[in-house]
Amino acid sequence: MGLQQQVMEQMKTAMKSKDSVALESLRAIKSALLLAQTESGAGGSLSEADEIKLVQKLVKQRKDSASIYTEQGRIDLAEPELAQAAIIEQFLPEQLTEEEIEKVVIQTIDTTGASGMKDMGKVMGIVSKELAGQADGKTISTIVKNRLS
């Protein structure tokens, strides 16, 4: 079952249970999918990798908004953003732990022979591609920086 069908099924459930936060989150996913499909060059369909990137982007937007609201002392606005992020994350593959990410980073550094910060882009590219959808780019970046510095 594709992402769009999963979202539609969840929307029906959310409507029946009158869960407005879930419904709003699911509508955001549906909207983003439709926009991406109708973009020029998309050809009317998205690959699974593109769908994962899109969902990751939606989660990141909500988490970024929540952190800004929290910094400004607006917990009342941060909580709905975090609730939406949690609902949207359900459509992502299982996320790896930092230890698992670190193993992949160490293996990649050994394989490429990276020796300093000048090689960070090369390592980031390989690791990001390998862990697409399973790890946050910010976490990968932090681990790579720690290992190369």
Side-chain angles (χ1 to χ4, degrees):
M1 182 185 303
L3 179 63
Q4 203 157 9
Q5 288 85 14
Q6 288 178 334
V7 170
M8 292 303 290
E9 290 299 317
Q10 293 286 332
M11 281 179 70
K12 289 176 189 173
T13 306
M15 284 180 195
K16 288 177 184 174
S17 65
K18 296 185 182 354
D19 186 349
S20 61
V21 175
L23 192 56
E24 191 176 336
S25 305
L26 296 166
R27 283 182 174 150
I29 297 172
K30 182 181 175 194
S31 172
L33 283 170
L34 289 173
L35 286 172
Q37 287 173 346
T38 57
E39 262 180 18
S40 61
S45 65
L46 295 173
S47 68
E48 189 174 333
D50 290 336
E51 289 176 344
I52 290 171
K53 284 181 191 173
L54 191 130
V55 173
Q56 280 181 316
K57 180 180 172 185
L58 292 173
V59 170
K60 184 178 183 329
Q61 286 173 342
R62 293 208 172 34
K63 286 185 176 180
D64 289 348
S65 295
S67 69
I68 290 170
Y69 290 142
T70 304
E71 286 172 18
Q72 295 174 350
R74 295 296 309 264
I75 304 302
D76 59 318
L77 296 175
E79 286 174 356
E81 293 290 331
L82 291 172
Q84 284 189 20
I87 291 167
I88 296 170
E89 280 178 328
Q90 295 172 3
F91 296 98
L92 286 174
E94 180 106 14
Q95 299 295 296
L96 298 175
T97 64
E98 285 194 28
E99 292 80 27
E100 293 169 320
I101 297 168
E102 194 161 1
K103 286 179 188 173
V104 174
V105 169
I106 291 168
Q107 180 184 349
T108 305
I109 290 172
D110 291 344
T111 306
T112 61
S115 59
M117 289 304 286
K118 66 184 184 313
D119 296 323
M120 182 172 173
K122 181 172 33 171
V123 174
M124 279 294 298
I126 294 168
V127 173
S128 295
K129 216 176 253 184
E130 192 174 328
L131 300 179
Q134 297 177 320
D136 176 37
K138 197 177 212 178
T139 307
I140 295 172
S141 173
T142 304
I143 293 171
V144 170
K145 280 181 191 172
N146 291 339
R147 283 285 164 190
L148 291 177
S149 58

